[in-house]
Amino acid sequence: MEAVVHKANTRGKVDFGWLKSNHTFSFGNYMNPERIRFASLRVLNDDIVAPGRGFDPHPHQDMEIISIPLKGALEHKDSIGTAGVIRSGEVQVMSAGTGIVHSEYNHSKTEPVNFLQIWVLPDRRGAEPRYDQKQFSVEERRNKFQVVVSPKDSTEGLWINQNAWFSMGNLEAGVEVSYQPKNEERGGVYAFLISGKVNINDTELSARDGAGFPATELLKVKALEESELLLMDVPEIV
């Protein structure tokens, strides 16, 4: 797998008034044959939803869906009986499996919500649908990486049906940290910079830039300014 860089201003853009979104990979009306997926990472959408608006009930199947609110709160309801609100600092996972219907709305009537909607291809089809969410302490990822999503047999983070590891780091300017990929044989690590500026293996990223690296590379990350970074360590689909 070769390294790739996706600058923020090259993402697919949609503006429906109530929804403004940037798509790192092909999604909906945005189709780029060179950006279908990165290993098993299929969707990375940076969504902003207007106050009181949202996605009406719609179905999913055989997909692991991760939502990470960056600002504001997101209201969730699904066909397996789950209803709740996820806020900035929390992470939500949903295994669509054999089929699930859900809706997502901005919980606020006055402020927009900004969240990352991420889809990962599962390690098998026909899994039982499930939902989970968890609050993660920002202090526990200060100048280091904190696991927020992991495989089922791990005790770290929220689990999904894939050998995928999501880690977040809040780094002070000048801090240098390393990350050893876990899918060393097949796969890679996709880095998405939420805010700030970093250098990863001599690749400089600014806010909302993304870059994928082979799983054979140790990632050396230097924060050029205060930064928040999401690493998605995903296997290739065989």
Side-chain angles (χ1 to χ4, degrees):
M1 178 176 289
E2 297 182 357
V4 295
V5 178
H6 299 138
K7 304 300 288 184
N9 61 4
T10 68
R11 296 178 294 173
K13 301 180 186 301
V14 297
D15 186 345
F16 297 125
W18 66 273
L19 169 68
K20 294 179 174 62
S21 184
N22 288 275
H23 305 328
T24 296
F25 302 104
S26 295
F27 185 87
N29 294 330
Y30 170 62
M31 174 54 66
N32 184 337
E34 295 183 355
R35 291 198 191 184
I36 300 299
R37 60 183 173 90
F38 176 81
S40 54
L41 176 61
R42 175 61 188 85
V43 169
L44 174 52
N45 291 350
D46 186 355
D47 292 340
I48 299 176
V49 179
R53 301 296 299 273
F55 302 91
D56 291 334
H58 57 281
H60 292 284
Q61 187 173 354
D62 290 322
M63 193 67 69
E64 303 297 302
I65 301 174
I66 299 96
S67 297
I68 304 177
L70 303 178
K71 184 179 181 180
L74 192 65
E75 190 171 329
H76 168 94
K77 189 175 182 180
D78 62 43
S79 57
I80 60 173
T82 307
V85 177
I86 56 170
R87 294 176 169 82
S88 178
E90 292 185 283
V91 176
Q92 173 199 83
V93 296
M94 185 177 73
S95 297
T98 54
I100 194 170
V101 175
H102 79 137
S103 61
E104 293 173 298
Y105 290 94
N106 186 343
H107 185 61
S108 173
K109 304 300 182 184
T110 59
E111 300 294 330
V113 60
N114 179 203
F115 71 103
L116 300 180
Q117 178 187 173
I118 305 167
W119 296 8
V120 175
L121 297 166
D123 58 9
R124 65 186 185 282
R125 300 174 65 87
E128 180 180 357
R130 59 179 293 274
Y131 173 96
D132 202 359
Q133 70 182 70
K134 184 177 179 179
Q135 175 82 35
F136 290 91
S137 170
V138 174
E139 289 305 313
E140 292 184 8
R141 57 175 179 259
R142 185 75 61 190
N143 296 326
K144 61 182 179 180
F145 290 114
Q146 174 191 48
V147 175
V148 297
V149 174
S150 61
K152 188 174 182 178
D153 59 358
S154 172
T155 58
E156 298 179 273
L158 297 166
W159 67 266
I160 61 172
N161 293 301
Q162 186 51 275
N163 192 44
W165 304 76
F166 285 24
S167 301
M168 299 183 73
N170 287 66
L171 311 177
E172 298 173 355
V175 167
E176 297 185 41
V177 292
S178 296
Y179 179 84
Q180 179 63 57
K182 299 180 186 298
N183 290 290
E184 294 183 357
E185 292 185 5
R186 292 178 61 89
V189 179
Y190 194 89
F192 183 76
L193 186 60
I194 296 169
S195 63
K197 184 177 290 186
V198 300
N199 184 296
I200 305 177
N201 290 9
D202 296 324
T203 297
E204 187 170 303
L205 302 179
S206 298
R208 262 44 178 201
D209 289 349
F213 301 90
T216 53
E217 290 187 17
L218 173 70
L219 299 191
K220 297 180 180 180
V221 182
K222 181 176 182 179
L224 304 179
E225 56 188 53
E226 186 174 350
S227 302
E228 184 174 13
L229 179 65
L230 170 64
L231 299 181
M232 292 161 279
D233 189 340
V234 289
E236 182 59 271
I237 298 298
V238 180

